[in-house]
Amino acid sequence: MAFLFEYGLFLAKAVTIVAAIGVILIMIIGASQKPKGKSGEIELKDLSKQIDDTRDQFIEQTLDKKALKAHKKANKKQDTSPSDEKVFVIDFIGSMDAHEVASLREEVSAILTIADKDKDQVLVNLESGGGVVHGYGLAASQLIRIKDFGLPLTICIDKVAASGGYMMACVADKIVAAPFAIVGSIGVIAQLPNFSKILKKNDVDFEQITAGEYKRTLTMFGENTDKGREKFKEEIEHTHGLFKEFVAEHRTTLDISTVATGEHWFASHAKTLNLVDEIKTSDDVLLSLNEQHQLYKVSYKIKKGLPEKLGLSVSTMVEKLGMSLWSKSQKIGM
């Protein structure tokens, strides 16, 4: 028992030393490298091959030898050359600040450099509950680039495309959604706390100096005025008006006064309001397209620098050593 205890202490010291050396190395390498903007690269994944491989694996495990041999013989006679009609697939999972638009713009640009507007099309798997107006406005503009180029655009919604997410979706030629996907929420919201009473209670002064009558309408720390609230409300209404105009322009079949209330709906109901065109999962859409098209998933990946790679390696090694130490300490206790 004493030996195991001492061995555990030795491992703990080793973990600490390795971690310290790793941090020092990262700092030295990071300091020696010139600061650069992060660069990335476009990755292309053959989704058609992935679908076909899955099908073949399933067939091999379900057919007996005789039936499998007959199946392979029959398929040899079929033309297995890839279709010259391509579908480029993009996944967009948006956050509140819509920072994912940085990758989206690279993916769209890459597609536009190689796509044939007479044969190809784009499908975007979209998932977002919305966020900042300017971020999602830019994301929607990136999708409009696809339309302006002349490529058919389909948006698939499996979970949610609400508020800014629906701002993106509405530019598509076709919106396909799973039955219980959430869509809509064509509205604008802004909220902030106010701590002025707490500051007053604790005798804390707050000063704010602005130039321009409406440079700051509402504040978190000062006393808000009715005039400031009215102006802020006016700005929110103006933003909502732009949102409604944008949706109405791209979804001409909508009764915008009915759907632009800020409400959201499940897709099965949203279809009756013309917010979506078809009820189906993205999986079924891709399987159907794969019958006549070559599918490619397009994604933009940021390259990791050497310090980041080293940091990941060190953290992984420390984690493994820590788990090993914990496991041994549990054995000692037993």
Side-chain angles (χ1 to χ4, degrees), residues 225-258:
T225 65
D226 289 338
K227 188 176 182 180
R229 292 187 186 96
E230 288 173 9
K231 180 61 178 176
F232 193 78
K233 174 68 173 174
E234 180 185 321
E235 292 169 350
I236 292 295
E237 291 290 352
H238 177 66
T239 304
H240 189 211
L242 292 175
F243 192 176
K244 291 192 291 185
E245 288 175 13
F246 184 86
V247 174
E249 177 186 352
H250 294 281
R251 294 286 294 184
T252 56
T253 57
L254 280 177
D255 179 357
I256 197 65
S257 61
T258 300

PDB file of all heavy atoms in Angstrom, residues 225-258:
ATOM      1  N   THR A 225     -35.220  57.818 -19.320  1.00  0.00           N
ATOM      2  CA  THR A 225     -36.325  58.770 -19.456  1.00  0.00           C
ATOM      3  C   THR A 225     -37.374  58.218 -20.403  1.00  0.00           C
ATOM      4  O   THR A 225     -37.108  57.327 -21.227  1.00  0.00           O
ATOM      5  CB  THR A 225     -35.804  60.106 -20.021  1.00  0.00           C
ATOM      6  OG1 THR A 225     -35.314  59.886 -21.355  1.00  0.00           O
ATOM      7  CG2 THR A 225     -34.687  60.669 -19.143  1.00  0.00           C
ATOM      8  N   ASP A 226     -38.588  58.772 -20.298  1.00  0.00           N
ATOM      9  CA  ASP A 226     -39.665  58.359 -21.211  1.00  0.00           C
ATOM     10  C   ASP A 226     -39.318  58.700 -22.660  1.00  0.00           C
ATOM     11  O   ASP A 226     -39.640  57.948 -23.581  1.00  0.00           O
ATOM     12  CB  ASP A 226     -40.979  59.055 -20.821  1.00  0.00           C
ATOM     13  CG  ASP A 226     -41.551  58.507 -19.518  1.00  0.00           C
ATOM     14  OD1 ASP A 226     -41.190  57.364 -19.152  1.00  0.00           O
ATOM     15  OD2 ASP A 226     -42.344  59.212 -18.864  1.00  0.00           O
ATOM     16  N   LYS A 227     -38.647  59.815 -22.842  1.00  0.00           N
ATOM     17  CA  LYS A 227     -38.234  60.220 -24.190  1.00  0.00           C
ATOM     18  C   LYS A 227     -37.246  59.214 -24.776  1.00  0.00           C
ATOM     19  O   LYS A 227     -37.327  58.845 -25.944  1.00  0.00           O
ATOM     20  CB  LYS A 227     -37.601  61.613 -24.137  1.00  0.00           C
ATOM     21  CG  LYS A 227     -37.321  62.198 -25.515  1.00  0.00           C
ATOM     22  CD  LYS A 227     -36.794  63.621 -25.394  1.00  0.00           C
ATOM     23  CE  LYS A 227     -36.558  64.232 -26.768  1.00  0.00           C
ATOM     24  NZ  LYS A 227     -36.049  65.626 -26.681  1.00  0.00           N
ATOM     25  N   GLY A 228     -36.318  58.747 -23.933  1.00  0.00           N
ATOM     26  CA  GLY A 228     -35.352  57.746 -24.376  1.00  0.00           C
ATOM     27  C   GLY A 228     -36.033  56.423 -24.710  1.00  0.00           C
ATOM     28  O   GLY A 228     -35.687  55.763 -25.699  1.00  0.00           O
ATOM     29  N   ARG A 229     -37.001  56.053 -23.884  1.00  0.00           N
ATOM     30  CA  ARG A 229     -37.736  54.803 -24.135  1.00  0.00           C
ATOM     31  C   ARG A 229     -38.512  54.877 -25.448  1.00  0.00           C
ATOM     32  O   ARG A 229     -38.557  53.919 -26.225  1.00  0.00           O
ATOM     33  CB  ARG A 229     -38.685  54.514 -22.978  1.00  0.00           C
ATOM     34  CG  ARG A 229     -37.995  54.165 -21.671  1.00  0.00           C
ATOM     35  CD  ARG A 229     -38.993  53.723 -20.610  1.00  0.00           C
ATOM     36  NE  ARG A 229     -38.339  53.534 -19.316  1.00  0.00           N
ATOM     37  CZ  ARG A 229     -38.302  54.462 -18.375  1.00  0.00           C
ATOM     38  NH1 ARG A 229     -38.881  55.652 -18.574  1.00  0.00           N
ATOM     39  NH2 ARG A 229     -37.683  54.221 -17.234  1.00  0.00           N
ATOM     40  N   GLU A 230     -39.144  56.013 -25.701  1.00  0.00           N
ATOM     41  CA  GLU A 230     -39.921  56.185 -26.937  1.00  0.00           C
ATOM     42  C   GLU A 230     -39.013  56.090 -28.164  1.00  0.00           C
ATOM     43  O   GLU A 230     -39.383  55.480 -29.174  1.00  0.00           O
ATOM     44  CB  GLU A 230     -40.626  57.546 -26.911  1.00  0.00           C
ATOM     45  CG  GLU A 230     -41.794  57.609 -25.930  1.00  0.00           C
ATOM     46  CD  GLU A 230     -42.356  59.007 -25.802  1.00  0.00           C
ATOM     47  OE1 GLU A 230     -41.960  59.886 -26.595  1.00  0.00           O
ATOM     48  OE2 GLU A 230     -43.197  59.228 -24.904  1.00  0.00           O
ATOM     49  N   LYS A 231     -37.841  56.702 -28.079  1.00  0.00           N
ATOM     50  CA  LYS A 231     -36.904  56.651 -29.205  1.00  0.00           C
ATOM     51  C   LYS A 231     -36.409  55.231 -29.428  1.00  0.00           C
ATOM     52  O   LYS A 231     -36.299  54.778 -30.570  1.00  0.00           O
ATOM     53  CB  LYS A 231     -35.718  57.588 -28.934  1.00  0.00           C
ATOM     54  CG  LYS A 231     -34.688  57.619 -30.049  1.00  0.00           C
ATOM     55  CD  LYS A 231     -35.279  58.098 -31.349  1.00  0.00           C
ATOM     56  CE  LYS A 231     -34.218  58.181 -32.459  1.00  0.00           C
ATOM     57  NZ  LYS A 231     -34.817  58.553 -33.764  1.00  0.00           N
ATOM     58  N   PHE A 232     -36.114  54.545 -28.326  1.00  0.00           N
ATOM     59  CA  PHE A 232     -35.642  53.153 -28.441  1.00  0.00           C
ATOM     60  C   PHE A 232     -36.727  52.276 -29.073  1.00  0.00           C
ATOM     61  O   PHE A 232     -36.456  51.450 -29.927  1.00  0.00           O
ATOM     62  CB  PHE A 232     -35.266  52.625 -27.052  1.00  0.00           C
ATOM     63  CG  PHE A 232     -34.481  51.347 -27.065  1.00  0.00           C
ATOM     64  CD1 PHE A 232     -33.125  51.358 -27.351  1.00  0.00           C
ATOM     65  CD2 PHE A 232     -35.093  50.130 -26.804  1.00  0.00           C
ATOM     66  CE1 PHE A 232     -32.385  50.183 -27.372  1.00  0.00           C
ATOM     67  CE2 PHE A 232     -34.371  48.954 -26.821  1.00  0.00           C
ATOM     68  CZ  PHE A 232     -33.017  48.980 -27.104  1.00  0.00           C
ATOM     69  N   LYS A 233     -37.972  52.474 -28.643  1.00  0.00           N
ATOM     70  CA  LYS A 233     -39.100  51.738 -29.215  1.00  0.00           C
ATOM     71  C   LYS A 233     -39.245  52.041 -30.706  1.00  0.00           C
ATOM     72  O   LYS A 233     -39.505  51.151 -31.515  1.00  0.00           O
ATOM     73  CB  LYS A 233     -40.385  52.121 -28.460  1.00  0.00           C
ATOM     74  CG  LYS A 233     -41.671  51.551 -29.029  1.00  0.00           C
ATOM     75  CD  LYS A 233     -41.758  50.046 -28.876  1.00  0.00           C
ATOM     76  CE  LYS A 233     -43.120  49.539 -29.297  1.00  0.00           C
ATOM     77  NZ  LYS A 233     -43.195  48.053 -29.299  1.00  0.00           N
ATOM     78  N   GLU A 234     -39.031  53.277 -31.077  1.00  0.00           N
ATOM     79  CA  GLU A 234     -39.104  53.689 -32.479  1.00  0.00           C
ATOM     80  C   GLU A 234     -38.051  52.945 -33.308  1.00  0.00           C
ATOM     81  O   GLU A 234     -38.322  52.498 -34.431  1.00  0.00           O
ATOM     82  CB  GLU A 234     -38.900  55.205 -32.575  1.00  0.00           C
ATOM     83  CG  GLU A 234     -38.952  55.770 -33.981  1.00  0.00           C
ATOM     84  CD  GLU A 234     -38.611  57.250 -34.007  1.00  0.00           C
ATOM     85  OE1 GLU A 234     -39.035  57.980 -33.082  1.00  0.00           O
ATOM     86  OE2 GLU A 234     -37.904  57.688 -34.951  1.00  0.00           O
ATOM     87  N   GLU A 235     -36.847  52.824 -32.747  1.00  0.00           N
ATOM     88  CA  GLU A 235     -35.775  52.120 -33.455  1.00  0.00           C
ATOM     89  C   GLU A 235     -36.099  50.635 -33.619  1.00  0.00           C
ATOM     90  O   GLU A 235     -35.828  50.037 -34.662  1.00  0.00           O
ATOM     91  CB  GLU A 235     -34.454  52.296 -32.685  1.00  0.00           C
ATOM     92  CG  GLU A 235     -33.934  53.730 -32.698  1.00  0.00           C
ATOM     93  CD  GLU A 235     -32.787  53.942 -31.724  1.00  0.00           C
ATOM     94  OE1 GLU A 235     -32.520  53.026 -30.906  1.00  0.00           O
ATOM     95  OE2 GLU A 235     -32.162  55.009 -31.769  1.00  0.00           O
ATOM     96  N   ILE A 236     -36.692  50.036 -32.581  1.00  0.00           N
ATOM     97  CA  ILE A 236     -37.077  48.625 -32.652  1.00  0.00           C
ATOM     98  C   ILE A 236     -38.148  48.420 -33.722  1.00  0.00           C
ATOM     99  O   ILE A 236     -38.100  47.476 -34.512  1.00  0.00           O
ATOM    100  CB  ILE A 236     -37.590  48.137 -31.279  1.00  0.00           C
ATOM    101  CG1 ILE A 236     -36.457  48.111 -30.258  1.00  0.00           C
ATOM    102  CG2 ILE A 236     -38.220  46.748 -31.394  1.00  0.00           C
ATOM    103  CD1 ILE A 236     -35.367  47.125 -30.560  1.00  0.00           C
ATOM    104  N   GLU A 237     -39.131  49.332 -33.758  1.00  0.00           N
ATOM    105  CA  GLU A 237     -40.206  49.229 -34.753  1.00  0.00           C
ATOM    106  C   GLU A 237     -39.653  49.385 -36.168  1.00  0.00           C
ATOM    107  O   GLU A 237     -40.098  48.707 -37.103  1.00  0.00           O
ATOM    108  CB  GLU A 237     -41.268  50.301 -34.491  1.00  0.00           C
ATOM    109  CG  GLU A 237     -42.081  50.088 -33.223  1.00  0.00           C
ATOM    110  CD  GLU A 237     -43.031  48.899 -33.339  1.00  0.00           C
ATOM    111  OE1 GLU A 237     -43.176  48.339 -34.439  1.00  0.00           O
ATOM    112  OE2 GLU A 237     -43.632  48.530 -32.309  1.00  0.00           O
ATOM    113  N   HIS A 238     -38.682  50.277 -36.318  1.00  0.00           N
ATOM    114  CA  HIS A 238     -38.061  50.477 -37.634  1.00  0.00           C
ATOM    115  C   HIS A 238     -37.348  49.205 -38.097  1.00  0.00           C
ATOM    116  O   HIS A 238     -37.463  48.783 -39.260  1.00  0.00           O
ATOM    117  CB  HIS A 238     -37.075  51.639 -37.580  1.00  0.00           C
ATOM    118  CG  HIS A 238     -36.343  51.879 -38.867  1.00  0.00           C
ATOM    119  ND1 HIS A 238     -36.960  52.307 -40.023  1.00  0.00           N
ATOM    120  CD2 HIS A 238     -35.027  51.714 -39.181  1.00  0.00           C
ATOM    121  CE1 HIS A 238     -36.070  52.411 -40.994  1.00  0.00           C
ATOM    122  NE2 HIS A 238     -34.887  52.061 -40.515  1.00  0.00           N
ATOM    123  N   THR A 239     -36.610  48.582 -37.170  1.00  0.00           N
ATOM    124  CA  THR A 239     -35.911  47.327 -37.494  1.00  0.00           C
ATOM    125  C   THR A 239     -36.913  46.238 -37.872  1.00  0.00           C
ATOM    126  O   THR A 239     -36.694  45.486 -38.825  1.00  0.00           O
ATOM    127  CB  THR A 239     -35.056  46.864 -36.300  1.00  0.00           C
ATOM    128  OG1 THR A 239     -34.157  47.907 -35.926  1.00  0.00           O
ATOM    129  CG2 THR A 239     -34.253  45.624 -36.654  1.00  0.00           C
ATOM    130  N   HIS A 240     -38.010  46.163 -37.119  1.00  0.00           N
ATOM    131  CA  HIS A 240     -39.049  45.171 -37.432  1.00  0.00           C
ATOM    132  C   HIS A 240     -39.637  45.429 -38.811  1.00  0.00           C
ATOM    133  O   HIS A 240     -39.918  44.489 -39.575  1.00  0.00           O
ATOM    134  CB  HIS A 240     -40.150  45.233 -36.359  1.00  0.00           C
ATOM    135  CG  HIS A 240     -41.143  44.126 -36.472  1.00  0.00           C
ATOM    136  ND1 HIS A 240     -42.462  44.281 -36.100  1.00  0.00           N
ATOM    137  CD2 HIS A 240     -41.024  42.847 -36.934  1.00  0.00           C
ATOM    138  CE1 HIS A 240     -43.114  43.143 -36.314  1.00  0.00           C
ATOM    139  NE2 HIS A 240     -42.262  42.271 -36.813  1.00  0.00           N
ATOM    140  N   GLY A 241     -39.820  46.691 -39.152  1.00  0.00           N
ATOM    141  CA  GLY A 241     -40.345  47.025 -40.475  1.00  0.00           C
ATOM    142  C   GLY A 241     -39.422  46.548 -41.588  1.00  0.00           C
ATOM    143  O   GLY A 241     -39.879  46.002 -42.604  1.00  0.00           O
ATOM    144  N   LEU A 242     -38.128  46.727 -41.403  1.00  0.00           N
ATOM    145  CA  LEU A 242     -37.154  46.257 -42.397  1.00  0.00           C
ATOM    146  C   LEU A 242     -37.188  44.732 -42.510  1.00  0.00           C
ATOM    147  O   LEU A 242     -37.085  44.170 -43.610  1.00  0.00           O
ATOM    148  CB  LEU A 242     -35.746  46.722 -42.010  1.00  0.00           C
ATOM    149  CG  LEU A 242     -35.483  48.225 -42.088  1.00  0.00           C
ATOM    150  CD1 LEU A 242     -34.092  48.542 -41.558  1.00  0.00           C
ATOM    151  CD2 LEU A 242     -35.623  48.716 -43.522  1.00  0.00           C
ATOM    152  N   PHE A 243     -37.321  44.067 -41.358  1.00  0.00           N
ATOM    153  CA  PHE A 243     -37.398  42.602 -41.317  1.00  0.00           C
ATOM    154  C   PHE A 243     -38.616  42.129 -42.123  1.00  0.00           C
ATOM    155  O   PHE A 243     -38.534  41.230 -42.960  1.00  0.00           O
ATOM    156  CB  PHE A 243     -37.494  42.159 -39.860  1.00  0.00           C
ATOM    157  CG  PHE A 243     -37.294  40.673 -39.626  1.00  0.00           C
ATOM    158  CD1 PHE A 243     -37.278  40.166 -38.326  1.00  0.00           C
ATOM    159  CD2 PHE A 243     -37.124  39.765 -40.673  1.00  0.00           C
ATOM    160  CE1 PHE A 243     -37.110  38.816 -38.080  1.00  0.00           C
ATOM    161  CE2 PHE A 243     -36.942  38.400 -40.433  1.00  0.00           C
ATOM    162  CZ  PHE A 243     -36.945  37.933 -39.142  1.00  0.00           C
ATOM    163  N   LYS A 244     -39.761  42.750 -41.886  1.00  0.00           N
ATOM    164  CA  LYS A 244     -40.988  42.367 -42.593  1.00  0.00           C
ATOM    165  C   LYS A 244     -40.859  42.594 -44.095  1.00  0.00           C
ATOM    166  O   LYS A 244     -41.288  41.759 -44.900  1.00  0.00           O
ATOM    167  CB  LYS A 244     -42.179  43.146 -42.039  1.00  0.00           C
ATOM    168  CG  LYS A 244     -42.576  42.762 -40.624  1.00  0.00           C
ATOM    169  CD  LYS A 244     -43.918  43.336 -40.236  1.00  0.00           C
ATOM    170  CE  LYS A 244     -43.883  44.822 -40.076  1.00  0.00           C
ATOM    171  NZ  LYS A 244     -45.165  45.370 -39.574  1.00  0.00           N
ATOM    172  N   GLU A 245     -40.283  43.716 -44.469  1.00  0.00           N
ATOM    173  CA  GLU A 245     -40.093  44.017 -45.893  1.00  0.00           C
ATOM    174  C   GLU A 245     -39.201  42.977 -46.555  1.00  0.00           C
ATOM    175  O   GLU A 245     -39.460  42.538 -47.685  1.00  0.00           O
ATOM    176  CB  GLU A 245     -39.479  45.406 -46.055  1.00  0.00           C
ATOM    177  CG  GLU A 245     -40.419  46.554 -45.741  1.00  0.00           C
ATOM    178  CD  GLU A 245     -39.714  47.892 -45.791  1.00  0.00           C
ATOM    179  OE1 GLU A 245     -38.570  47.955 -46.308  1.00  0.00           O
ATOM    180  OE2 GLU A 245     -40.292  48.892 -45.310  1.00  0.00           O
ATOM    181  N   PHE A 246     -38.159  42.581 -45.840  1.00  0.00           N
ATOM    182  CA  PHE A 246     -37.210  41.607 -46.374  1.00  0.00           C
ATOM    183  C   PHE A 246     -37.898  40.265 -46.608  1.00  0.00           C
ATOM    184  O   PHE A 246     -37.755  39.647 -47.671  1.00  0.00           O
ATOM    185  CB  PHE A 246     -36.036  41.446 -45.409  1.00  0.00           C
ATOM    186  CG  PHE A 246     -34.942  40.542 -45.902  1.00  0.00           C
ATOM    187  CD1 PHE A 246     -33.936  41.030 -46.711  1.00  0.00           C
ATOM    188  CD2 PHE A 246     -34.909  39.199 -45.552  1.00  0.00           C
ATOM    189  CE1 PHE A 246     -32.917  40.211 -47.175  1.00  0.00           C
ATOM    190  CE2 PHE A 246     -33.908  38.360 -46.008  1.00  0.00           C
ATOM    191  CZ  PHE A 246     -32.901  38.869 -46.827  1.00  0.00           C
ATOM    192  N   VAL A 247     -38.651  39.796 -45.615  1.00  0.00           N
ATOM    193  CA  VAL A 247     -39.339  38.508 -45.733  1.00  0.00           C
ATOM    194  C   VAL A 247     -40.388  38.562 -46.833  1.00  0.00           C
ATOM    195  O   VAL A 247     -40.504  37.648 -47.660  1.00  0.00           O
ATOM    196  CB  VAL A 247     -39.980  38.105 -44.388  1.00  0.00           C
ATOM    197  CG1 VAL A 247     -40.814  36.836 -44.556  1.00  0.00           C
ATOM    198  CG2 VAL A 247     -38.916  37.899 -43.325  1.00  0.00           C
ATOM    199  N   ALA A 248     -41.164  39.645 -46.877  1.00  0.00           N
ATOM    200  CA  ALA A 248     -42.221  39.783 -47.883  1.00  0.00           C
ATOM    201  C   ALA A 248     -41.645  39.802 -49.292  1.00  0.00           C
ATOM    202  O   ALA A 248     -42.249  39.268 -50.235  1.00  0.00           O
ATOM    203  CB  ALA A 248     -43.024  41.055 -47.621  1.00  0.00           C
ATOM    204  N   GLU A 249     -40.463  40.387 -49.446  1.00  0.00           N
ATOM    205  CA  GLU A 249     -39.814  40.451 -50.763  1.00  0.00           C
ATOM    206  C   GLU A 249     -39.421  39.071 -51.262  1.00  0.00           C
ATOM    207  O   GLU A 249     -39.539  38.771 -52.455  1.00  0.00           O
ATOM    208  CB  GLU A 249     -38.579  41.351 -50.673  1.00  0.00           C
ATOM    209  CG  GLU A 249     -37.782  41.438 -51.967  1.00  0.00           C
ATOM    210  CD  GLU A 249     -36.491  42.206 -51.814  1.00  0.00           C
ATOM    211  OE1 GLU A 249     -36.267  42.817 -50.731  1.00  0.00           O
ATOM    212  OE2 GLU A 249     -35.681  42.196 -52.766  1.00  0.00           O
ATOM    213  N   HIS A 250     -38.970  38.211 -50.345  1.00  0.00           N
ATOM    214  CA  HIS A 250     -38.463  36.904 -50.747  1.00  0.00           C
ATOM    215  C   HIS A 250     -39.500  35.787 -50.652  1.00  0.00           C
ATOM    216  O   HIS A 250     -39.335  34.731 -51.277  1.00  0.00           O
ATOM    217  CB  HIS A 250     -37.230  36.549 -49.914  1.00  0.00           C
ATOM    218  CG  HIS A 250     -36.058  37.444 -50.180  1.00  0.00           C
ATOM    219  ND1 HIS A 250     -35.241  37.294 -51.282  1.00  0.00           N
ATOM    220  CD2 HIS A 250     -35.573  38.522 -49.498  1.00  0.00           C
ATOM    221  CE1 HIS A 250     -34.303  38.213 -51.272  1.00  0.00           C
ATOM    222  NE2 HIS A 250     -34.478  38.979 -50.197  1.00  0.00           N
ATOM    223  N   ARG A 251     -40.563  35.982 -49.868  1.00  0.00           N
ATOM    224  CA  ARG A 251     -41.649  34.995 -49.752  1.00  0.00           C
ATOM    225  C   ARG A 251     -42.948  35.700 -50.136  1.00  0.00           C
ATOM    226  O   ARG A 251     -43.746  36.096 -49.299  1.00  0.00           O
ATOM    227  CB  ARG A 251     -41.743  34.435 -48.337  1.00  0.00           C
ATOM    228  CG  ARG A 251     -40.562  33.613 -47.888  1.00  0.00           C
ATOM    229  CD  ARG A 251     -40.507  32.232 -48.513  1.00  0.00           C
ATOM    230  NE  ARG A 251     -41.611  31.378 -48.097  1.00  0.00           N
ATOM    231  CZ  ARG A 251     -41.714  30.108 -48.473  1.00  0.00           C
ATOM    232  NH1 ARG A 251     -40.796  29.560 -49.260  1.00  0.00           N
ATOM    233  NH2 ARG A 251     -42.742  29.388 -48.076  1.00  0.00           N
ATOM    234  N   THR A 252     -43.151  35.854 -51.421  1.00  0.00           N
ATOM    235  CA  THR A 252     -44.264  36.663 -51.919  1.00  0.00           C
ATOM    236  C   THR A 252     -45.629  36.037 -51.633  1.00  0.00           C
ATOM    237  O   THR A 252     -46.653  36.725 -51.706  1.00  0.00           O
ATOM    238  CB  THR A 252     -44.115  36.897 -53.428  1.00  0.00           C
ATOM    239  OG1 THR A 252     -44.006  35.628 -54.100  1.00  0.00           O
ATOM    240  CG2 THR A 252     -42.872  37.719 -53.728  1.00  0.00           C
ATOM    241  N   THR A 253     -45.665  34.735 -51.314  1.00  0.00           N
ATOM    242  CA  THR A 253     -46.946  34.070 -51.041  1.00  0.00           C
ATOM    243  C   THR A 253     -47.407  34.267 -49.606  1.00  0.00           C
ATOM    244  O   THR A 253     -48.505  33.849 -49.244  1.00  0.00           O
ATOM    245  CB  THR A 253     -46.838  32.554 -51.326  1.00  0.00           C
ATOM    246  OG1 THR A 253     -45.783  31.998 -50.526  1.00  0.00           O
ATOM    247  CG2 THR A 253     -46.541  32.300 -52.795  1.00  0.00           C
ATOM    248  N   LEU A 254     -46.601  34.912 -48.793  1.00  0.00           N
ATOM    249  CA  LEU A 254     -46.944  35.108 -47.382  1.00  0.00           C
ATOM    250  C   LEU A 254     -47.917  36.261 -47.179  1.00  0.00           C
ATOM    251  O   LEU A 254     -47.847  37.284 -47.877  1.00  0.00           O
ATOM    252  CB  LEU A 254     -45.683  35.416 -46.568  1.00  0.00           C
ATOM    253  CG  LEU A 254     -44.778  34.255 -46.142  1.00  0.00           C
ATOM    254  CD1 LEU A 254     -43.557  34.810 -45.427  1.00  0.00           C
ATOM    255  CD2 LEU A 254     -45.517  33.298 -45.240  1.00  0.00           C
ATOM    256  N   ASP A 255     -48.785  36.102 -46.205  1.00  0.00           N
ATOM    257  CA  ASP A 255     -49.553  37.230 -45.682  1.00  0.00           C
ATOM    258  C   ASP A 255     -48.737  37.779 -44.521  1.00  0.00           C
ATOM    259  O   ASP A 255     -48.833  37.304 -43.387  1.00  0.00           O
ATOM    260  CB  ASP A 255     -50.934  36.765 -45.215  1.00  0.00           C
ATOM    261  CG  ASP A 255     -51.761  37.903 -44.636  1.00  0.00           C
ATOM    262  OD1 ASP A 255     -51.239  39.040 -44.557  1.00  0.00           O
ATOM    263  OD2 ASP A 255     -52.911  37.653 -44.239  1.00  0.00           O
ATOM    264  N   ILE A 256     -47.912  38.780 -44.815  1.00  0.00           N
ATOM    265  CA  ILE A 256     -46.918  39.234 -43.849  1.00  0.00           C
ATOM    266  C   ILE A 256     -47.561  39.781 -42.581  1.00  0.00           C
ATOM    267  O   ILE A 256     -47.006  39.640 -41.475  1.00  0.00           O
ATOM    268  CB  ILE A 256     -45.972  40.297 -44.483  1.00  0.00           C
ATOM    269  CG1 ILE A 256     -44.701  40.462 -43.633  1.00  0.00           C
ATOM    270  CG2 ILE A 256     -46.684  41.594 -44.712  1.00  0.00           C
ATOM    271  CD1 ILE A 256     -43.819  39.249 -43.581  1.00  0.00           C
ATOM    272  N   SER A 257     -48.732  40.371 -42.671  1.00  0.00           N
ATOM    273  CA  SER A 257     -49.389  40.905 -41.482  1.00  0.00           C
ATOM    274  C   SER A 257     -49.802  39.791 -40.518  1.00  0.00           C
ATOM    275  O   SER A 257     -49.899  40.006 -39.311  1.00  0.00           O
ATOM    276  CB  SER A 257     -50.619  41.730 -41.871  1.00  0.00           C
ATOM    277  OG  SER A 257     -51.568  40.925 -42.549  1.00  0.00           O
ATOM    278  N   THR A 258     -50.035  38.595 -41.063  1.00  0.00           N
ATOM    279  CA  THR A 258     -50.439  37.451 -40.229  1.00  0.00           C
ATOM    280  C   THR A 258     -49.253  36.796 -39.536  1.00  0.00           C
ATOM    281  O   THR A 258     -49.346  36.391 -38.373  1.00  0.00           O
ATOM    282  CB  THR A 258     -51.181  36.401 -41.088  1.00  0.00           C
ATOM    283  OG1 THR A 258     -52.345  36.998 -41.655  1.00  0.00           O
ATOM    284  CG2 THR A 258     -51.583  35.189 -40.254  1.00  0.00           C
TER     285      THR A 258
END
